[in-house]
Amino acid sequence: MAFIRVRVGMVRLLALMSVLGAMALLLVTNAPADTPTGSPEAATFLPDRVHGYTPQKEDGVYTYDTLFELIDGGAEVYRSFNVRLVVSRRYGKPGAPDILADIFDMGTSQDAFGAYHHDLRDGKDAGLGHESDYVGGALYFWKDRYFVSIIGFDDTEEMEQVIVALGRDIAQRIPNKGSKPELLRLLPGEGLDAARVSYFHDWTYLNTRHFLADENLLELGRDTEGILARYRSADRGSTEAGEGPFLLLLVRYSSEARAARALDRFLAGYLPNADAAGVGRREDGTWTAAQAMGEVVLVVLEAAGRSGVERLVAEVKKMRAR
Amino acid sequence: MQDSHKRWTRREFLRSAGSLALLGPAGASIFCSEQPPGGAGVALGESLEKRVSARHSARVVLVRDKDVLDGGRRPRPDVIARMLDAGVGELLGESRPEAAWARLVQPEDVVGIKSNEWRFLPTPRELEHAIRQRVLSAGVASDRIGIDDRGALRNPVFHKATALINVRPMRTHHWAGVGGCIKNHIMFSPDPSSWHPDACASLAGLWDLPLVKGKTRLNVLAMLTPLFHGKGPHHFLARYTWEYGGLIVGTDPVAVDATGLRILEAKRREYFGNDQPFTVSPKHIRMAEDKYRLGVADPARIEVLKLGWTERMLI
């Protein structure tokens, strides 16, 4: 009998190894050589039950390559942030609208921040994860390298309670908190529109936030990271004529040499009339500045006057020196 | 901009004397203010090969009905069919829908109804059915009619299609700012994501694809419950839709989309209390005119004929 038990156990072990091996093979062969892959840890963050809601069907698991099957045209957004794996679960309860919970493994907490801040974050803070946003029956938050989206197919107080409870459960299961992109530290606070700070890696994504040029003038790629922040001139006590919002762009490169090269290319293509300080006026009358601070390139865009540009550049440099 | 209001009465299918003056032979002036070559014998589809110049104007019809949606936000089949008939009739200057559709498609056509199946806001089945019924009424055999979206490239009807009817709901979009009639032909591309750079600015180029070029006879932009703001991975929250109860029909996809965009912009101003910019600029609509000459994007050169329900029209 002992022999039979050992033999059955080995059969089960071999079967499990085959399944795990197939899953590993699937994850590897579905992804191009340079495509990130992720672990299925995210699936363990989803509770089996919350306020009477239970899973309605098998979880969907999507990779960088198959994410289109879940979110169609929206997949490009998360691919630009190097999404590795997404686990999607539909919860249901008799007589109640369903809930859709998606956990995005973004690989790094910085990319989870980027995924979270792709959208305007103007809902109420649910106090979950690093940052959270609840509006209209939907909850979004990020914690460590995970970005979480929970959508209820209804917009009621009762649904809000369930969604927030589910979100809290998920957040508690994610062990680490993670950290925001280091570049944020360089943003002056005065006049900053905090709801509209964007994080990015590539030129295509940056152009969707603010179109600069068809050509990748800043030589952005997967190994660069950037922040695009909007500032309200009036909130900065500006006295410039034609006040309006202006933009601060910060990009970190892998080396000072790369940053310097990118700066040269940007100035040549975008601001050929810049002076020695990298400040110049565009055809539309707005002012732009571009400078390198070590491995970081700083660009101020669409400022109404030169003094505002110079002041912001000085503030950023002061932040960097801290 | 040029807007005309019409009282919604039981005689709403009858055109006014004023609108008659704007129509020329074979409906050619629907698309542009110049007459196409060939006169009355030119099929409507052929006129679409012309590219617009700065002198061109366009006309679209906005038809609304406050009773089009039931309690579950499903369109009532009879009402949506009546709206479609009214819109197309007004557009083509025909009092009978059969006559109007006979000018759009002929019995020898193979007709692809290019729909949209986005899970959160798909083209209502009731609207697809209404269009299909009118294509049948024009004498097209049922086996020469296909309805598809993501399967269009694999669909034999669409490969043989001589005419396309382009229909979808209006909504905001992750990568293009808004998704309307111009964008709806993206599934004819073997690589849809290749159109994404620069906020999908080049979408009008889709209309030069071999399976598309010169075939679209009519554009129907469903404004029943438009999505005016998107959030999250799925880009959909019911809170950001509202019951507008309308259809915009036209032969100029750019003018149709530009009109739908105006309505979304107005709704966003109303909701946010300011000119909240779209997450991604819907620049492809303007580019469709400026670079591709596909149609008219400038509201000042788009005549919007309005039928039916006028309350909270927003434009």
Side-chain angles (χ1 to χ4, degrees), chain A residues 72 74 76-78 100 102 119-122 133 135-136 138 140 149 155 196 209 211, chain B residues 119-120 150 174-175 193 196-198 230-234 237 239-240 276-277 279-280 283:
Chain A
D72 200 6
E76 291 282 1
V77 171
Y78 304 96
L100 189 61
D102 303 314
D119 293 304
L120 179 68
R121 292 298 167 202
D122 58 347
D133 176 36
V135 61
Y140 311 97
S149 161
D155 183 6
R196 297 181 65 197
R209 302 283 105 170
F211 180 76
Chain B
R119 62 191 283 199
F120 292 101
R150 293 169 188 170
H174 261 122
W175 222 236
S193 63
H196 287 165
D198 189 18
K231 201 161 183 175
H234 299 279
L237 290 179
R239 163 176 294 210
Y240 297 128
Q276 182 72 253
T279 305
V280 174
K283 60 175 26 177

mmCIF file of all heavy atoms in Angstrom, chain A residues 72 74 76-78 100 102 119-122 133 135-136 138 140 149 155 196 209 211, chain B residues 119-120 150 174-175 193 196-198 230-234 237 239-240 276-277 279-280 283:
data_model
loop_
_atom_site.group_PDB
_atom_site.id
_atom_site.type_symbol
_atom_site.label_atom_id
_atom_site.label_comp_id
_atom_site.label_asym_id
_atom_site.label_seq_id
_atom_site.Cartn_x
_atom_site.Cartn_y
_atom_site.Cartn_z
ATOM 1 N N ASP A 72 -8.574 45.619 -25.479
ATOM 2 C CA ASP A 72 -8.633 46.106 -26.858
ATOM 3 C C ASP A 72 -7.714 47.299 -27.068
ATOM 4 O O ASP A 72 -6.525 47.217 -26.826
ATOM 5 C CB ASP A 72 -10.093 46.432 -27.201
ATOM 6 C CG ASP A 72 -10.316 46.472 -28.692
ATOM 7 O OD1 ASP A 72 -9.381 46.143 -29.437
ATOM 8 O OD2 ASP A 72 -11.410 46.855 -29.137
ATOM 9 N N GLY A 74 -7.012 49.853 -25.438
ATOM 10 C CA GLY A 74 -6.320 50.401 -24.279
ATOM 11 C C GLY A 74 -5.041 49.683 -23.921
ATOM 12 O O GLY A 74 -4.258 50.182 -23.112
ATOM 13 N N GLU A 76 -2.319 49.372 -25.465
ATOM 14 C CA GLU A 76 -1.099 50.116 -25.825
ATOM 15 C C GLU A 76 -0.601 50.973 -24.661
ATOM 16 O O GLU A 76 0.602 51.151 -24.478
ATOM 17 C CB GLU A 76 -1.380 51.024 -27.025
ATOM 18 C CG GLU A 76 -1.608 50.305 -28.326
ATOM 19 C CD GLU A 76 -0.317 49.835 -28.968
ATOM 20 O OE1 GLU A 76 0.758 50.058 -28.396
ATOM 21 O OE2 GLU A 76 -0.398 49.233 -30.046
ATOM 22 N N VAL A 77 -1.549 51.516 -23.914
ATOM 23 C CA VAL A 77 -1.180 52.377 -22.785
ATOM 24 C C VAL A 77 -0.313 51.606 -21.814
ATOM 25 O O VAL A 77 0.776 52.050 -21.430
ATOM 26 C CB VAL A 77 -2.439 52.899 -22.074
ATOM 27 C CG1 VAL A 77 -2.074 53.603 -20.772
ATOM 28 C CG2 VAL A 77 -3.223 53.829 -22.983
ATOM 29 N N TYR A 78 -0.754 50.437 -21.427
ATOM 30 C CA TYR A 78 -0.056 49.664 -20.387
ATOM 31 C C TYR A 78 1.182 48.968 -20.945
ATOM 32 O O TYR A 78 2.139 48.725 -20.210
ATOM 33 C CB TYR A 78 -1.060 48.715 -19.719
ATOM 34 C CG TYR A 78 -2.213 49.516 -19.177
ATOM 35 C CD1 TYR A 78 -3.376 49.670 -19.918
ATOM 36 C CD2 TYR A 78 -2.097 50.211 -17.967
ATOM 37 C CE1 TYR A 78 -4.406 50.494 -19.464
ATOM 38 C CE2 TYR A 78 -3.120 51.026 -17.514
ATOM 39 C CZ TYR A 78 -4.262 51.166 -18.265
ATOM 40 O OH TYR A 78 -5.276 51.985 -17.831
ATOM 41 N N LEU A 100 -15.768 43.734 -11.827
ATOM 42 C CA LEU A 100 -14.614 43.282 -12.601
ATOM 43 C C LEU A 100 -13.352 43.813 -11.925
ATOM 44 O O LEU A 100 -13.192 45.021 -11.775
ATOM 45 C CB LEU A 100 -14.711 43.821 -14.028
ATOM 46 C CG LEU A 100 -13.720 43.314 -15.059
ATOM 47 C CD1 LEU A 100 -13.853 41.815 -15.238
ATOM 48 C CD2 LEU A 100 -13.946 44.028 -16.391
ATOM 49 N N ASP A 102 -9.180 43.824 -11.990
ATOM 50 C CA ASP A 102 -7.985 43.547 -12.788
ATOM 51 C C ASP A 102 -6.754 43.963 -11.999
ATOM 52 O O ASP A 102 -6.692 45.092 -11.516
ATOM 53 C CB ASP A 102 -8.014 44.337 -14.108
ATOM 54 C CG ASP A 102 -9.255 44.045 -14.929
ATOM 55 O OD1 ASP A 102 -9.599 42.870 -15.084
ATOM 56 O OD2 ASP A 102 -9.871 45.008 -15.414
ATOM 57 N N ASP A 119 -4.662 58.313 -16.289
ATOM 58 C CA ASP A 119 -5.962 58.981 -16.278
ATOM 59 C C ASP A 119 -5.947 60.182 -15.341
ATOM 60 O O ASP A 119 -5.172 60.239 -14.389
ATOM 61 C CB ASP A 119 -7.049 58.022 -15.782
ATOM 62 C CG ASP A 119 -7.281 56.886 -16.752
ATOM 63 O OD1 ASP A 119 -7.570 57.189 -17.922
ATOM 64 O OD2 ASP A 119 -7.159 55.725 -16.336
ATOM 65 N N LEU A 120 -6.865 61.095 -15.589
ATOM 66 C CA LEU A 120 -7.089 62.213 -14.683
ATOM 67 C C LEU A 120 -7.571 61.653 -13.347
ATOM 68 O O LEU A 120 -8.539 60.898 -13.303
ATOM 69 C CB LEU A 120 -8.156 63.136 -15.275
ATOM 70 C CG LEU A 120 -8.546 64.363 -14.463
ATOM 71 C CD1 LEU A 120 -7.401 65.358 -14.407
ATOM 72 C CD2 LEU A 120 -9.788 65.019 -15.075
ATOM 73 N N ARG A 121 -6.886 61.983 -12.299
ATOM 74 C CA ARG A 121 -7.239 61.448 -10.979
ATOM 75 C C ARG A 121 -7.972 62.526 -10.185
ATOM 76 O O ARG A 121 -7.362 63.293 -9.436
ATOM 77 C CB ARG A 121 -5.964 60.977 -10.253
ATOM 78 C CG ARG A 121 -5.351 59.748 -10.930
ATOM 79 C CD ARG A 121 -6.317 58.592 -10.889
ATOM 80 N NE ARG A 121 -5.928 57.491 -11.759
ATOM 81 C CZ ARG A 121 -6.781 56.574 -12.225
ATOM 82 N NH1 ARG A 121 -8.058 56.653 -11.916
ATOM 83 N NH2 ARG A 121 -6.355 55.591 -12.991
ATOM 84 N N ASP A 122 -9.263 62.594 -10.397
ATOM 85 C CA ASP A 122 -10.058 63.637 -9.756
ATOM 86 C C ASP A 122 -11.166 63.074 -8.891
ATOM 87 O O ASP A 122 -12.065 63.821 -8.482
ATOM 88 C CB ASP A 122 -10.659 64.555 -10.838
ATOM 89 C CG ASP A 122 -11.527 63.781 -11.831
ATOM 90 O OD1 ASP A 122 -11.479 62.534 -11.849
ATOM 91 O OD2 ASP A 122 -12.249 64.431 -12.600
ATOM 92 N N ASP A 133 -8.209 56.235 -6.025
ATOM 93 C CA ASP A 133 -9.151 57.161 -6.665
ATOM 94 C C ASP A 133 -10.452 56.409 -6.854
ATOM 95 O O ASP A 133 -10.479 55.370 -7.526
ATOM 96 C CB ASP A 133 -8.541 57.601 -8.015
ATOM 97 C CG ASP A 133 -9.450 58.487 -8.826
ATOM 98 O OD1 ASP A 133 -10.170 59.310 -8.238
ATOM 99 O OD2 ASP A 133 -9.433 58.364 -10.067
ATOM 100 N N VAL A 135 -14.450 56.770 -8.144
ATOM 101 C CA VAL A 135 -15.461 57.607 -8.805
ATOM 102 C C VAL A 135 -16.435 56.713 -9.537
ATOM 103 O O VAL A 135 -16.038 55.756 -10.207
ATOM 104 C CB VAL A 135 -14.804 58.618 -9.782
ATOM 105 C CG1 VAL A 135 -14.044 57.911 -10.888
ATOM 106 C CG2 VAL A 135 -15.843 59.549 -10.398
ATOM 107 N N GLY A 136 -17.714 56.997 -9.382
ATOM 108 C CA GLY A 136 -18.736 56.384 -10.219
ATOM 109 C C GLY A 136 -18.750 54.876 -10.276
ATOM 110 O O GLY A 136 -18.950 54.293 -11.333
ATOM 111 N N ALA A 138 -16.196 52.862 -9.595
ATOM 112 C CA ALA A 138 -14.892 52.318 -9.980
ATOM 113 C C ALA A 138 -13.808 52.789 -9.015
ATOM 114 O O ALA A 138 -13.810 53.938 -8.584
ATOM 115 C CB ALA A 138 -14.531 52.759 -11.397
ATOM 116 N N TYR A 140 -9.541 52.726 -8.384
ATOM 117 C CA TYR A 140 -8.211 52.493 -8.950
ATOM 118 C C TYR A 140 -7.174 52.812 -7.879
ATOM 119 O O TYR A 140 -7.316 53.777 -7.140
ATOM 120 C CB TYR A 140 -7.973 53.394 -10.171
ATOM 121 C CG TYR A 140 -9.093 53.382 -11.173
ATOM 122 C CD1 TYR A 140 -10.075 54.384 -11.173
ATOM 123 C CD2 TYR A 140 -9.202 52.370 -12.129
ATOM 124 C CE1 TYR A 140 -11.118 54.372 -12.081
ATOM 125 C CE2 TYR A 140 -10.244 52.362 -13.044
ATOM 126 C CZ TYR A 140 -11.195 53.357 -13.015
ATOM 127 O OH TYR A 140 -12.224 53.333 -13.924
ATOM 128 N N SER A 149 -7.432 47.865 -10.832
ATOM 129 C CA SER A 149 -8.673 48.482 -11.310
ATOM 130 C C SER A 149 -9.838 47.611 -10.892
ATOM 131 O O SER A 149 -9.840 46.406 -11.149
ATOM 132 C CB SER A 149 -8.622 48.596 -12.840
ATOM 133 O OG SER A 149 -9.906 48.777 -13.389
ATOM 134 N N ASP A 155 -23.577 52.077 -9.861
ATOM 135 C CA ASP A 155 -23.002 53.234 -9.178
ATOM 136 C C ASP A 155 -23.905 53.600 -8.000
ATOM 137 O O ASP A 155 -24.717 54.523 -8.094
ATOM 138 C CB ASP A 155 -22.888 54.408 -10.177
ATOM 139 C CG ASP A 155 -22.220 55.625 -9.561
ATOM 140 O OD1 ASP A 155 -21.740 55.537 -8.417
ATOM 141 O OD2 ASP A 155 -22.190 56.675 -10.235
ATOM 142 N N ARG A 196 -2.640 66.069 -12.820
ATOM 143 C CA ARG A 196 -2.291 65.857 -14.226
ATOM 144 C C ARG A 196 -0.791 65.733 -14.426
ATOM 145 O O ARG A 196 -0.215 66.316 -15.324
ATOM 146 C CB ARG A 196 -2.874 66.987 -15.073
ATOM 147 C CG ARG A 196 -4.405 67.023 -15.027
ATOM 148 C CD ARG A 196 -4.967 68.121 -15.883
ATOM 149 N NE ARG A 196 -4.672 67.883 -17.280
ATOM 150 C CZ ARG A 196 -4.754 68.817 -18.215
ATOM 151 N NH1 ARG A 196 -5.105 70.040 -17.883
ATOM 152 N NH2 ARG A 196 -4.472 68.547 -19.478
ATOM 153 N N ARG A 209 0.298 62.941 -24.671
ATOM 154 C CA ARG A 209 0.073 63.869 -23.557
ATOM 155 C C ARG A 209 0.266 65.312 -24.031
ATOM 156 O O ARG A 209 -0.470 66.219 -23.660
ATOM 157 C CB ARG A 209 1.088 63.592 -22.427
ATOM 158 C CG ARG A 209 1.045 62.195 -21.887
ATOM 159 C CD ARG A 209 -0.120 61.999 -20.972
ATOM 160 N NE ARG A 209 -1.183 61.241 -21.551
ATOM 161 C CZ ARG A 209 -2.215 60.797 -20.877
ATOM 162 N NH1 ARG A 209 -2.312 61.033 -19.578
ATOM 163 N NH2 ARG A 209 -3.151 60.117 -21.470
ATOM 164 N N PHE A 211 1.898 66.963 -27.748
ATOM 165 C CA PHE A 211 2.601 66.719 -28.995
ATOM 166 C C PHE A 211 3.760 67.690 -29.148
ATOM 167 O O PHE A 211 3.574 68.912 -29.099
ATOM 168 C CB PHE A 211 1.658 66.849 -30.189
ATOM 169 C CG PHE A 211 2.346 66.592 -31.493
ATOM 170 C CD1 PHE A 211 2.648 65.301 -31.887
ATOM 171 C CD2 PHE A 211 2.725 67.649 -32.308
ATOM 172 C CE1 PHE A 211 3.298 65.053 -33.077
ATOM 173 C CE2 PHE A 211 3.372 67.410 -33.505
ATOM 174 C CZ PHE A 211 3.669 66.106 -33.892
ATOM 175 N N ARG B 119 -17.119 46.097 -26.215
ATOM 176 C CA ARG B 119 -17.991 45.420 -25.272
ATOM 177 C C ARG B 119 -18.832 46.364 -24.409
ATOM 178 O O ARG B 119 -19.929 46.016 -24.001
ATOM 179 C CB ARG B 119 -17.171 44.477 -24.377
ATOM 180 C CG ARG B 119 -16.132 45.178 -23.531
ATOM 181 C CD ARG B 119 -15.173 44.208 -22.866
ATOM 182 N NE ARG B 119 -15.780 43.562 -21.711
ATOM 183 C CZ ARG B 119 -15.073 42.960 -20.748
ATOM 184 N NH1 ARG B 119 -13.768 42.923 -20.820
ATOM 185 N NH2 ARG B 119 -15.677 42.386 -19.739
ATOM 186 N N PHE B 120 -18.307 47.550 -24.124
ATOM 187 C CA PHE B 120 -19.028 48.428 -23.199
ATOM 188 C C PHE B 120 -20.038 49.327 -23.910
ATOM 189 O O PHE B 120 -20.987 49.797 -23.275
ATOM 190 C CB PHE B 120 -18.044 49.287 -22.413
ATOM 191 C CG PHE B 120 -17.201 48.490 -21.454
ATOM 192 C CD1 PHE B 120 -15.898 48.152 -21.766
ATOM 193 C CD2 PHE B 120 -17.729 48.052 -20.258
ATOM 194 C CE1 PHE B 120 -15.124 47.403 -20.891
ATOM 195 C CE2 PHE B 120 -16.962 47.296 -19.368
ATOM 196 C CZ PHE B 120 -15.659 46.971 -19.694
ATOM 197 N N ARG B 150 -14.637 43.230 -35.954
ATOM 198 C CA ARG B 150 -13.271 42.713 -35.840
ATOM 199 C C ARG B 150 -12.982 41.589 -36.818
ATOM 200 O O ARG B 150 -11.839 41.288 -37.096
ATOM 201 C CB ARG B 150 -13.020 42.264 -34.407
ATOM 202 C CG ARG B 150 -13.023 43.433 -33.452
ATOM 203 C CD ARG B 150 -13.033 43.033 -32.001
ATOM 204 N NE ARG B 150 -13.236 44.212 -31.164
ATOM 205 C CZ ARG B 150 -13.472 44.165 -29.856
ATOM 206 N NH1 ARG B 150 -13.534 43.002 -29.233
ATOM 207 N NH2 ARG B 150 -13.658 45.272 -29.178
ATOM 208 N N HIS B 174 -8.960 55.786 -25.710
ATOM 209 C CA HIS B 174 -7.640 55.774 -25.082
ATOM 210 C C HIS B 174 -6.562 56.446 -25.911
ATOM 211 O O HIS B 174 -5.720 57.157 -25.404
ATOM 212 C CB HIS B 174 -7.173 54.313 -24.952
ATOM 213 C CG HIS B 174 -7.376 53.738 -23.603
ATOM 214 N ND1 HIS B 174 -8.118 52.622 -23.379
ATOM 215 C CD2 HIS B 174 -6.897 54.114 -22.403
ATOM 216 C CE1 HIS B 174 -8.098 52.333 -22.095
ATOM 217 N NE2 HIS B 174 -7.365 53.218 -21.477
ATOM 218 N N TRP B 175 -6.527 56.128 -27.180
ATOM 219 C CA TRP B 175 -5.351 56.433 -27.976
ATOM 220 C C TRP B 175 -5.632 57.446 -29.065
ATOM 221 O O TRP B 175 -4.710 58.042 -29.603
ATOM 222 C CB TRP B 175 -4.839 55.123 -28.620
ATOM 223 C CG TRP B 175 -3.347 54.936 -28.608
ATOM 224 C CD1 TRP B 175 -2.546 54.709 -29.686
ATOM 225 C CD2 TRP B 175 -2.479 54.927 -27.468
ATOM 226 N NE1 TRP B 175 -1.239 54.582 -29.293
ATOM 227 C CE2 TRP B 175 -1.159 54.698 -27.942
ATOM 228 C CE3 TRP B 175 -2.668 55.091 -26.101
ATOM 229 C CZ2 TRP B 175 -0.052 54.633 -27.094
ATOM 230 C CZ3 TRP B 175 -1.564 55.019 -25.258
ATOM 231 C CH2 TRP B 175 -0.290 54.794 -25.756
ATOM 232 N N SER B 193 -2.657 48.541 -34.533
ATOM 233 C CA SER B 193 -1.847 49.325 -33.605
ATOM 234 C C SER B 193 -0.821 50.188 -34.322
ATOM 235 O O SER B 193 -0.294 51.145 -33.749
ATOM 236 C CB SER B 193 -1.157 48.419 -32.590
ATOM 237 O OG SER B 193 -0.264 47.539 -33.239
ATOM 238 N N HIS B 196 -1.450 53.985 -34.260
ATOM 239 C CA HIS B 196 -1.557 54.674 -32.985
ATOM 240 C C HIS B 196 -0.617 55.866 -32.788
ATOM 241 O O HIS B 196 -0.934 56.767 -32.019
ATOM 242 C CB HIS B 196 -1.346 53.690 -31.834
ATOM 243 C CG HIS B 196 -2.536 52.781 -31.648
ATOM 244 N ND1 HIS B 196 -2.487 51.629 -30.889
ATOM 245 C CD2 HIS B 196 -3.793 52.847 -32.126
ATOM 246 C CE1 HIS B 196 -3.672 51.037 -30.919
ATOM 247 N NE2 HIS B 196 -4.479 51.751 -31.651
ATOM 248 N N PRO B 197 0.580 55.884 -33.395
ATOM 249 C CA PRO B 197 1.498 56.993 -33.116
ATOM 250 C C PRO B 197 0.864 58.368 -33.308
ATOM 251 O O PRO B 197 0.000 58.558 -34.169
ATOM 252 C CB PRO B 197 2.637 56.764 -34.115
ATOM 253 C CG PRO B 197 2.678 55.287 -34.291
ATOM 254 C CD PRO B 197 1.214 54.857 -34.240
ATOM 255 N N ASP B 198 1.326 59.303 -32.492
ATOM 256 C CA ASP B 198 0.841 60.679 -32.551
ATOM 257 C C ASP B 198 -0.674 60.747 -32.408
ATOM 258 O O ASP B 198 -1.355 61.414 -33.197
ATOM 259 C CB ASP B 198 1.283 61.375 -33.840
ATOM 260 C CG ASP B 198 0.979 62.867 -33.802
ATOM 261 O OD1 ASP B 198 0.751 63.405 -32.708
ATOM 262 O OD2 ASP B 198 0.939 63.490 -34.884
ATOM 263 N N GLY B 230 -13.377 59.030 -20.487
ATOM 264 C CA GLY B 230 -12.939 57.669 -20.235
ATOM 265 C C GLY B 230 -11.967 57.613 -19.082
ATOM 266 O O GLY B 230 -11.208 58.555 -18.853
ATOM 267 N N LYS B 231 -12.013 56.505 -18.360
ATOM 268 C CA LYS B 231 -11.122 56.369 -17.227
ATOM 269 C C LYS B 231 -10.818 54.898 -17.023
ATOM 270 O O LYS B 231 -11.673 54.047 -17.228
ATOM 271 C CB LYS B 231 -11.806 56.937 -15.979
ATOM 272 C CG LYS B 231 -10.879 57.327 -14.874
ATOM 273 C CD LYS B 231 -11.570 58.290 -13.910
ATOM 274 C CE LYS B 231 -10.591 58.736 -12.836
ATOM 275 N NZ LYS B 231 -11.168 59.751 -11.951
ATOM 276 N N GLY B 232 -9.593 54.610 -16.605
ATOM 277 C CA GLY B 232 -9.232 53.243 -16.276
ATOM 278 C C GLY B 232 -8.918 52.396 -17.485
ATOM 279 O O GLY B 232 -9.092 52.818 -18.630
ATOM 280 N N PRO B 233 -8.461 51.174 -17.233
ATOM 281 C CA PRO B 233 -8.065 50.286 -18.335
ATOM 282 C C PRO B 233 -9.198 50.015 -19.314
ATOM 283 O O PRO B 233 -8.971 49.884 -20.511
ATOM 284 C CB PRO B 233 -7.654 48.993 -17.618
ATOM 285 C CG PRO B 233 -7.346 49.395 -16.232
ATOM 286 C CD PRO B 233 -8.207 50.571 -15.918
ATOM 287 N N HIS B 234 -10.401 49.927 -18.822
ATOM 288 C CA HIS B 234 -11.517 49.625 -19.706
ATOM 289 C C HIS B 234 -12.147 50.874 -20.288
ATOM 290 O O HIS B 234 -13.021 50.781 -21.163
ATOM 291 C CB HIS B 234 -12.564 48.791 -18.958
ATOM 292 C CG HIS B 234 -12.032 47.475 -18.479
ATOM 293 N ND1 HIS B 234 -11.924 46.383 -19.318
ATOM 294 C CD2 HIS B 234 -11.534 47.085 -17.287
ATOM 295 C CE1 HIS B 234 -11.396 45.370 -18.639
ATOM 296 N NE2 HIS B 234 -11.149 45.773 -17.414
ATOM 297 N N LEU B 237 -17.079 54.094 -17.788
ATOM 298 C CA LEU B 237 -17.916 54.168 -16.600
ATOM 299 C C LEU B 237 -19.264 54.700 -17.047
ATOM 300 O O LEU B 237 -19.314 55.693 -17.797
ATOM 301 C CB LEU B 237 -17.318 55.105 -15.556
ATOM 302 C CG LEU B 237 -16.045 54.651 -14.830
ATOM 303 C CD1 LEU B 237 -15.594 55.719 -13.842
ATOM 304 C CD2 LEU B 237 -16.282 53.333 -14.106
ATOM 305 N N ARG B 239 -21.260 56.409 -15.563
ATOM 306 C CA ARG B 239 -21.436 57.787 -15.114
ATOM 307 C C ARG B 239 -21.084 58.784 -16.214
ATOM 308 O O ARG B 239 -21.611 59.892 -16.238
ATOM 309 C CB ARG B 239 -20.534 58.021 -13.902
ATOM 310 C CG ARG B 239 -20.290 59.499 -13.554
ATOM 311 C CD ARG B 239 -19.483 59.638 -12.310
ATOM 312 N NE ARG B 239 -20.225 59.150 -11.158
ATOM 313 C CZ ARG B 239 -20.087 59.606 -9.933
ATOM 314 N NH1 ARG B 239 -19.235 60.584 -9.698
ATOM 315 N NH2 ARG B 239 -20.759 59.102 -8.930
ATOM 316 N N TYR B 240 -20.163 58.384 -17.098
ATOM 317 C CA TYR B 240 -19.711 59.304 -18.134
ATOM 318 C C TYR B 240 -20.454 59.096 -19.461
ATOM 319 O O TYR B 240 -19.942 59.414 -20.531
ATOM 320 C CB TYR B 240 -18.201 59.164 -18.332
ATOM 321 C CG TYR B 240 -17.390 59.530 -17.108
ATOM 322 C CD1 TYR B 240 -16.424 58.658 -16.607
ATOM 323 C CD2 TYR B 240 -17.593 60.735 -16.433
ATOM 324 C CE1 TYR B 240 -15.675 58.989 -15.478
ATOM 325 C CE2 TYR B 240 -16.854 61.069 -15.303
ATOM 326 C CZ TYR B 240 -15.897 60.182 -14.834
ATOM 327 O OH TYR B 240 -15.165 60.501 -13.713
ATOM 328 N N GLN B 276 -12.438 71.093 -20.141
ATOM 329 C CA GLN B 276 -11.528 70.014 -19.761
ATOM 330 C C GLN B 276 -11.020 69.336 -21.028
ATOM 331 O O GLN B 276 -11.812 68.749 -21.779
ATOM 332 C CB GLN B 276 -12.279 68.987 -18.901
ATOM 333 C CG GLN B 276 -11.434 67.837 -18.397
ATOM 334 C CD GLN B 276 -10.460 68.266 -17.317
ATOM 335 O OE1 GLN B 276 -9.259 68.366 -17.544
ATOM 336 N NE2 GLN B 276 -10.980 68.541 -16.151
ATOM 337 N N PRO B 277 -9.714 69.390 -21.287
ATOM 338 C CA PRO B 277 -9.214 68.766 -22.520
ATOM 339 C C PRO B 277 -9.367 67.257 -22.472
ATOM 340 O O PRO B 277 -9.327 66.651 -21.405
ATOM 341 C CB PRO B 277 -7.740 69.177 -22.554
ATOM 342 C CG PRO B 277 -7.392 69.495 -21.133
ATOM 343 C CD PRO B 277 -8.634 69.996 -20.484
ATOM 344 N N THR B 279 -8.195 63.503 -22.660
ATOM 345 C CA THR B 279 -6.941 62.893 -22.224
ATOM 346 C C THR B 279 -5.951 62.829 -23.384
ATOM 347 O O THR B 279 -4.756 63.050 -23.225
ATOM 348 C CB THR B 279 -7.190 61.481 -21.679
ATOM 349 O OG1 THR B 279 -8.171 61.546 -20.640
ATOM 350 C CG2 THR B 279 -5.916 60.886 -21.113
ATOM 351 N N VAL B 280 -6.456 62.513 -24.553
ATOM 352 C CA VAL B 280 -5.665 62.526 -25.779
ATOM 353 C C VAL B 280 -6.406 63.409 -26.776
ATOM 354 O O VAL B 280 -7.622 63.280 -26.939
ATOM 355 C CB VAL B 280 -5.495 61.098 -26.342
ATOM 356 C CG1 VAL B 280 -4.796 61.135 -27.691
ATOM 357 C CG2 VAL B 280 -4.723 60.234 -25.360
ATOM 358 N N LYS B 283 -7.075 64.912 -32.554
ATOM 359 C CA LYS B 283 -6.555 65.696 -33.671
ATOM 360 C C LYS B 283 -6.795 65.039 -35.025
ATOM 361 O O LYS B 283 -6.712 65.694 -36.061
ATOM 362 C CB LYS B 283 -5.070 65.924 -33.488
ATOM 363 C CG LYS B 283 -4.277 64.638 -33.428
ATOM 364 C CD LYS B 283 -2.776 64.720 -33.360
ATOM 365 C CE LYS B 283 -2.086 65.834 -32.836
ATOM 366 N NZ LYS B 283 -0.637 65.735 -32.782
#
